[in-house]
Amino acid sequence: MAEATQIIGIDFGTTTSFVATPEAGIVPLGTRAYLPSIAGVLDQRLLVGEAAAVLPPDRLIRSAKRAISDDKAHVVVGRGYGIATYPRDQVITAIFKEIAARARQSGSSLRTARTLRFGCPAGWNQDQRRLLLDLAKAAGVPIEGAELVEEPVAAAMEWLERQSGAGRRINGRLLAFDMGGGTLDVAVMDVDSDDGTPRIKVLASADTTIAGDALDEAIYTDIVAHYQLDLTCMNEPMRASQHILNLAIETKTRLSTDESYDIFPNARILGAEKLAPLRYERERFNDVFDPMMDVAESTVARALKPAGPAVGVDYVLLVGGMSRVPLVRQRLQAIFRHAEFIADYGTADEAVVRGLVTTGAGRRRRVVSRPVPVLSGATSGR
Amino acid sequence: MGRAAKPHDALIAAIREAGGPIGGRELHRAIREAGQPESTWELWRAGLKDWIVLHPHVRVTGTGAAKRYRWGKPVSAKTALTHLAQRVKAPQWLREAWREVVAAGLKATGIGISPKLRAAQERQARIGAVRAVAELAIEVEEIAHNGADGGQIVKRIRNALAHKDLIPIGAAGQDTVFDPALHRIEVGDPKKGAPVFILRPGYSWRYRNEVMIIEHALVAKA
């Protein structure tokens, strides 16, 4: 049916990428709902998605999107082992090609869509936005008439449309807190739904790269300290390091919802006879996460500076995988005591792409661009 | 514009043939020029102007005297449903429930979704379910090899299942009272509230606002 391909939303994320249509919702990209936004180099060939994910860590390219945010023309191959670089544009173009090919396999050709809507961070300037479309074009994705929607606006539209469908009219100030693996984006918006059609005006935004990946590193350090590991003395330090990082990532994921998590390291990889499990409790997890939330709070403060005081915020919208962590909500509730908190944890990762294909996201005249200068994060290098 | 047979047809035709956004005054002029009687305009003013937003081709912008009507491609099924839901005279919770049921129905019948996409979604859902089982098996084997005891393994499995909204009904060996909604008895016919103990736990599954029993817990008389 022609209607099914009228509008297609593309969320090229730092960690995962999604495609959606208004009628069908999420379009599967291969055997998953998403494509891992990961690349890797094998025998001088560039691989993307799951094919790259199985490569050794020293050949992986993660968070290529961040290179646009940081205005870097090259990305590092093998974070932490970084000895080689690769042209950013080639990596992102390859990811877009894969997204387009997989969407086509699932019956949603990007070429036949009447309108393509891309998400982008609210903090991106015009050059960065243009670059995203140019890279999509280089991948064969038709960008004539394509629309760019700021990610927090898309996430807010997704929520607002659901509220509107339920007959609830939302008016007031909304703060979107989008914490993913690679970045934290905060945007302050004014929402007006008086005539039944939500309108959004972005007042200010701020971002930082201190997000989920930083928490992985912090848990990693904590595990190394707990077992008093000296990786330099090990036969295969890279293998041991990656094993601990995997344990740290799993710990973070599980403690997003569980109260405790038992870590069982592989003694053989870590060069030990036997290792007792480490019970990671919520309290310990919060202690490790606290410094990152300090940075998050200062990012929120920067976004609020031109927009007004925290007491004026009526709604706090939690988006992104990291928003599942209870400490995020606790810390923000201490700031926004009177605000209504909105979190749909089941689909937190999909909120942006679902929002891109809402009716409101396409009303470009109604989505007013941010009138204040972009506020970049101190840690983002911009 | 030719004269339309019915008043509402004439109004719709005027919007369709305007060639761009059209305001109230221009619309009035257009139907007069089409030879329509003044009663057609009265019909518009009496209520049709408020209902026109439900027309799949008509986009309404602006408010009050600045309202404009424009002909466009048909809205998506989702948007049409949102518009309809807004006009159901019922409490919010009831509207929400109603909208959810209709949306699920539309999705189930595949209206507006290409067969290829529907097949891809079904395939992905099946792979997702199989992958979840495989991931659990991998995890259990890994932690068992790395020294986890039975209790730690059960805890890990329960946590993994909780992520899939599967809630355990009791725990093996636990004393409880018989509840036919949650338990099945191995032998006998106990009354509700009779003391029993759990041989095998069961599981319920929470899906949106619904909780369904996936497996009853197997119990025996205490």
Side-chain angles (χ1 to χ4, degrees):
Chain A
M1 273 174 235
E3 204 186 13
T5 54
Q6 279 195 347
I7 298 168
I8 294 183
I10 303 160
D11 172 22
F12 167 52
T14 309
T15 317
T16 49
S17 294
F18 288 91
V19 169
T21 72
E23 292 77 18
I26 302 293
V27 174
L29 296 178
T31 62
R32 298 174 195 271
Y34 58 86
L35 172 77
S37 308
I38 193 170
V41 184
L42 179 67
D43 299 333
Q44 297 183 322
R45 276 188 312 128
L46 188 65
L47 304 175
V48 296
E50 291 87 350
V54 296
L55 292 177
D58 59 327
R59 294 179 193 172
L60 285 182
I61 300 166
R62 293 183 188 274
S63 310
K65 183 182 177 185
R66 202 186 293 164
I68 298 182
S69 306
D70 294 346
D71 291 326
K72 287 182 177 162
H74 288 80
V75 289
V76 175
V77 182
R79 189 168 62 103
Y81 312 98
I83 42 169
T85 61
Y86 209 88
R88 168 200 65 196
D89 294 358
Q90 283 186 33
V91 174
I92 295 175
T93 300
I95 293 174
F96 268 126
K97 270 186 187 165
E98 191 66 22
I99 291 171
R102 293 193 187 192
R104 190 173 60 244
Q105 281 168 4
S106 289
S108 294
S109 171
L110 304 187
R111 285 182 172 278
T112 57
R114 179 166 57 86
T115 307
L116 292 181
R117 286 200 196 125
F118 293 83
C120 74
W124 276 10
N125 60 35
Q126 289 305 316
D127 290 343
Q128 292 164 327
R129 292 169 192 229
R130 186 70 234 171
L131 176 61
L132 182 79
L133 293 182
D134 287 345
L135 296 176
K137 189 181 177 185
V141 177
I143 59 159
E144 292 75 26
E147 296 169 358
L148 274 171
V149 180
E150 293 168 341
E151 286 158 6
V153 171
M157 284 309 306
E158 196 263 342
W159 177 65
L160 287 168
E161 186 149 300
R162 275 191 285 135
Q163 299 308 303
S164 172
R168 186 180 176 204
R169 295 190 174 176
I170 303 292
N171 292 300
R173 186 152 291 180
L174 183 148
L175 181 134
F177 184 93
D178 182 356
M179 197 178 212
T183 51
L184 163 65
D185 282 315
V186 180
V188 187
M189 300 167 248
D190 273 346
V191 180
D192 171 11
S193 312
D194 263 343
D195 63 358
T197 308
R199 275 169 288 190
I200 289 179
K201 180 179 176 183
V202 180
L203 302 174
S205 66
D207 62 10
T208 174
T209 52
I210 303 293
D213 294 349
L215 179 55
D216 298 340
E217 302 288 351
I219 297 171
Y220 172 102
T221 307
D222 196 29
I223 295 172
V224 169
H226 174 82
Y227 287 107
Q228 299 178 328
L229 300 170
D230 184 354
L231 298 184
T232 57
C233 296
M234 292 185 188
N235 288 337
E236 292 192 64
M238 190 190 289
R239 190 177 68 164
S241 172
Q242 189 59 41
H243 179 63
I244 299 164
L245 184 61
N246 289 343
L247 292 172
I249 292 169
E250 196 58 37
T251 305
K252 174 193 73 177
T253 307
R254 291 304 174 89
L255 283 169
S256 298
T257 48
D258 301 343
E259 282 307 301
S260 70
Y261 179 72
D262 293 332
I263 301 172
F264 293 93
N266 189 296
R268 192 167 160 188
I269 286 184
L270 299 181
E273 282 278 307
K274 198 179 173 189
L275 288 171
L278 165 59
R279 172 154 292 186
Y280 222 83
E281 302 278 359
R282 165 77 51 212
E283 203 177 340
R284 182 172 190 156
F285 180 77
N286 286 352
D287 287 345
V288 171
F289 190 31
D290 255 330
M292 272 129 269
M293 279 309 298
D294 291 342
V295 176
E297 279 190 9
S298 67
T299 309
V300 167
R302 278 191 289 117
L304 283 174
K305 204 171 178 183
V311 285
V313 172
D314 304 295
Y315 309 96
V316 175
L317 180 63
L318 300 176
V319 192
M322 285 297 293
S323 63
R324 294 185 179 98
V325 177
L327 187 66
V328 170
R329 195 185 182 111
Q330 285 165 24
R331 295 273 302 248
L332 293 179
Q333 271 177 333
I335 302 171
F336 303 102
R337 291 171 191 275
H338 306 293
E340 178 185 338
F341 275 68
I342 307 123
D344 189 357
Y345 293 133
T347 56
D349 306 324
E350 300 169 3
V352 169
V353 78
R354 287 185 186 277
L356 287 175
V357 293
T358 58
T359 319
R363 288 191 200 98
R364 282 190 287 180
R365 267 174 289 175
R366 288 173 180 273
V367 179
V368 183
S369 288
R370 170 183 12 84
V372 295
V374 175
L375 297 164
S376 61
T379 53
S380 68
R382 269 178 293 137
Chain B
M1 185 177 75
R3 181 167 177 156
K6 292 177 184 169
H8 64 262
D9 286 343
L11 288 158
I12 295 294
I15 296 170
R16 185 178 61 233
E17 290 164 25
I22 184 171
R25 279 187 186 175
E26 296 139 295
L27 184 62
H28 192 183
R29 196 181 312 125
I31 60 164
R32 265 204 317 250
E33 284 171 3
Q36 283 291 319
E38 196 58 19
S39 58
T40 299
W41 182 243
E42 289 306 319
L43 183 75
W44 172 264
R45 289 184 55 187
L48 193 57
K49 65 181 170 58
D50 298 321
W51 287 103
I52 198 71
V53 70
L54 290 180
H55 195 285
H57 282 278
V58 178
R59 309 281 194 278
V60 184
T61 53
T63 53
K67 255 189 187 169
R68 294 284 179 274
Y69 308 92
R70 183 174 60 80
W71 192 262
K73 288 186 178 176
V75 294
S76 67
K78 194 177 168 189
T79 305
L81 180 58
T82 300
H83 285 167
L84 283 170
Q86 283 169 351
R87 278 159 181 78
V88 174
K89 289 197 186 306
Q92 185 188 324
W93 61 269
L94 206 51
R95 270 202 300 265
E96 202 168 343
W98 178 83
R99 187 173 179 270
E100 240 180 44
V101 168
V102 177
L106 283 172
K107 215 165 186 178
T109 53
I111 292 171
I113 306 174
S114 77
K116 196 173 176 183
L117 176 52
R118 199 165 68 237
Q121 286 181 322
E122 283 173 11
R123 178 174 178 266
Q124 194 255 313
R126 282 169 185 264
I127 293 170
V130 171
R131 180 179 284 126
V133 176
E135 283 173 351
L136 190 56
I138 292 163
E139 195 173 333
V140 165
E141 188 166 332
E142 184 192 12
I143 65 169
H145 175 74
N146 291 337
D149 61 29
Q152 289 165 325
I153 290 172
V154 169
K155 184 187 171 214
R156 183 65 70 90
I157 292 171
R158 286 193 169 215
N159 283 346
L161 296 183
H163 281 266
K164 305 287 177 197
D165 293 321
L166 278 162
I167 315 299
I169 302 168
Q174 185 186 27
D175 287 320
T176 184
V177 290
F178 185 66
D179 180 350
L182 302 174
H183 304 144
R184 64 186 173 91
I185 190 89
E186 192 176 40
V187 182
D189 188 17
K191 287 188 175 161
K192 188 176 179 182
V196 292
F197 70 95
I198 291 174
L199 290 169
R200 297 176 65 183
Y203 273 92
S204 63
W205 185 45
R206 192 176 54 238
Y207 180 68
R208 295 186 177 169
N209 297 324
E210 189 187 357
V211 176
M212 61 190 91
I213 304 294
I214 299 296
E215 280 291 334
H216 287 76
L218 182 64
V219 297
K221 272 176 82 175

